[in-house]
Amino acid sequence: VMNPQRWRNAILRDWRVLKLAPGEHRGDLDLVKQAVQQNGHSLGFALSSACEDKHLVLEAIQGYGSALQYASPELRGDKQVVLEAVAKDGLALQFASVALRDDVDVVMAAVQQNGMALSFASAKLRGNRDVVLTALERNGMALGVATQDFRSDRDAVRIAMRNNVQSLRLANPELLREPGIILEALSCNGNAMQLAPLQLRADRDFVRQAAARNVWSLGFASAELRRDRGFILDCMAQNNMALEFAAQELREDPSFLLEAAAADSSPRRCQYLRSFTASPTVRSSMDQNARFAPRTWTKEDSAASRRRRSNAANLMAVSSSPSLGLAGASTVRRTTETRSR
């Protein structure tokens, strides 16, 4: 059995020892304070009498706002204490009293720190426009916990998708039929195209505008458009990489590659096209202007060509996977870009 001094020394070395200490030490405000200075969550091991001390609770939440959960009911209803807690961790709002979760000042401070703190606000404040828009600026997915009318609010949806394009999944489906909403989302993430209705993904003018904003959006265009020679050539005029998302028969069609080279015989275009074929075409601009035209095509060139096409295919496969979604596609995209370099 340890004597009091040994308990004190052990707690000063490791705040977790407080959990095992006798009640006399867990109720010692001076000792608990020193444990709290190591880690605010040590307040959870103190006696209830210590959790009623305002100064001690304020000390605990300085390091961890969530330590508010260990405070007494009276202090969880103290506006000063709760404001300190949510300023450190917005999600600490869940431990505040019911009255303070309906207080505009407290909830606003919480959502400014973490937009998802909106989920712990009262129903009334989850419908407060200023509070909701502030939350959406911090975390677009807070659209899912705001009142239903915000899912049809264009301004709210725009703010949410600028923060997190996946928040479009939470918006009213009618808004996704508006080209302007999708085009704006594409400026943030090309994979937002998969959220557009099939009718828009088959619309030539819309898809051309989408590709101009983000060429990766072509990966979600209709199969018919990705097989259209003229359409792919138009998109390549904006970005050569549009060819990556064309139908396989176009990417492997030498006559189409020659047609693309004839439309733009710049060294950059020809070098890009040359990587799609292992068979040199005599006297074509593709071979004349490509960076490696003077030398013989090698196995390394063929491997690079296959790798480029494989990376594009993998990206589209992962992007369409419900289990990975847009975040997985973004990861693959970064990996693809790194490998290509």
Side-chain angles (χ1 to χ4, degrees), residues 28 44-45 79 102 115 130 135 147 159 176 213 264 292 304 309 329:
D28 185 326
F45 303 139
K79 188 170 182 176
D102 191 40
D130 291 335
T147 52
I159 291 173
L176 299 183
R213 295 203 177 203
D264 178 0
F292 42 76
R309 292 196 293 272

Side-chain angles (χ1 to χ4, degrees), residues 244 251-252 274-278 297-314 336 339-340:
E244 301 278 3
R251 296 198 309 268
E252 297 178 354
R274 191 65 184 82
S275 68
F276 276 82
T277 176
W297 184 271
T298 66
K299 292 182 178 179
E300 288 73 18
D301 296 326
S302 297
S305 176
R306 288 193 298 273
R307 187 164 57 250
R308 182 190 296 275
R309 292 196 293 272
S310 175
N311 286 339
N314 287 340
T336 298
R339 289 177 178 172
S340 296

Side-chain angles (χ1 to χ4, degrees), residues 56-271:
L56 187 58
V57 171
L58 286 173
E59 184 79 36
I61 63 179
Q62 286 303 309
Y64 297 90
S66 56
L68 179 65
Q69 63 186 293
Y70 308 119
S72 65
E74 292 75 17
L75 290 180
R76 282 189 272 129
D78 185 303
K79 188 170 182 176
Q80 179 192 357
V81 172
V82 174
L83 281 173
E84 289 281 347
V86 298
K88 192 62 123 176
D89 181 355
L91 298 181
L93 181 64
Q94 63 186 295
F95 306 117
S97 66
V98 173
L100 288 183
R101 282 188 274 143
D102 191 40
D103 185 287
V104 175
D105 295 332
V106 172
V107 174
M108 184 66 82
V111 298
Q112 285 176 340
Q113 202 284 324
N114 188 321
M116 289 307 296
L118 183 65
S119 59
F120 302 112
S122 66
K124 172 186 172 182
L125 292 184
R126 281 188 277 118
N128 181 293
R129 188 170 185 80
D130 291 335
V131 171
V132 171
L133 295 185
T134 300
L136 295 177
E137 288 175 355
R138 299 298 184 276
N139 192 323
M141 298 306 287
L143 185 63
V145 295
T147 52
Q148 286 290 327
D149 54 312
F150 284 100
R151 301 189 184 201
S152 300
D153 186 306
R154 288 174 178 77
D155 292 334
V157 171
R158 283 191 170 96
I159 291 173
M161 74 182 183
R162 287 184 198 127
N163 176 272
N164 188 332
V165 75
Q166 291 196 61
S167 62
L168 278 178
R169 297 180 184 275
L170 304 170
N172 186 323
E174 289 300 317
L175 286 183
L176 299 183
R177 301 179 188 277
E178 298 183 11
I181 294 286
I182 300 297
L183 288 175
E184 189 171 341
L186 288 170
S187 299
C188 306
N189 191 317
N191 296 300
M193 186 70 161
Q194 66 180 303
L195 301 176
L198 294 176
Q199 182 180 0
L200 279 182
R201 285 190 271 160
D203 184 291
R204 294 177 68 92
D205 292 335
F206 172 76
V207 176
R208 187 181 291 108
Q209 292 180 62
R213 295 203 177 203
N214 195 315
V215 71
W216 295 86
S217 62
L218 275 177
F220 302 101
S222 68
E224 181 181 353
L225 285 181
R226 289 189 285 118
R227 286 194 300 265
D228 189 307
R229 299 169 76 96
F231 179 74
I232 295 298
L233 285 174
D234 287 346
C235 292
M236 288 180 68
Q238 300 169 347
N239 190 324
N240 287 327
M241 197 177 172
L243 182 58
E244 301 278 3
F245 304 99
Q248 184 176 357
E249 56 263 34
L250 279 187
R251 296 198 309 268
E252 297 178 354
D253 184 349
S255 65
F256 176 74
L257 300 181
L258 287 174
E259 187 178 348
D264 178 0
S265 59
S266 65
R268 175 174 293 185
R269 166 71 68 86
C270 292
Q271 176 183 328

Side-chain angles (χ1 to χ4, degrees), residues 21-32:
E24 60 184 279
H25 297 297
R26 291 189 288 119
D28 185 326
L29 294 183
D30 180 58
L31 187 57
V32 172

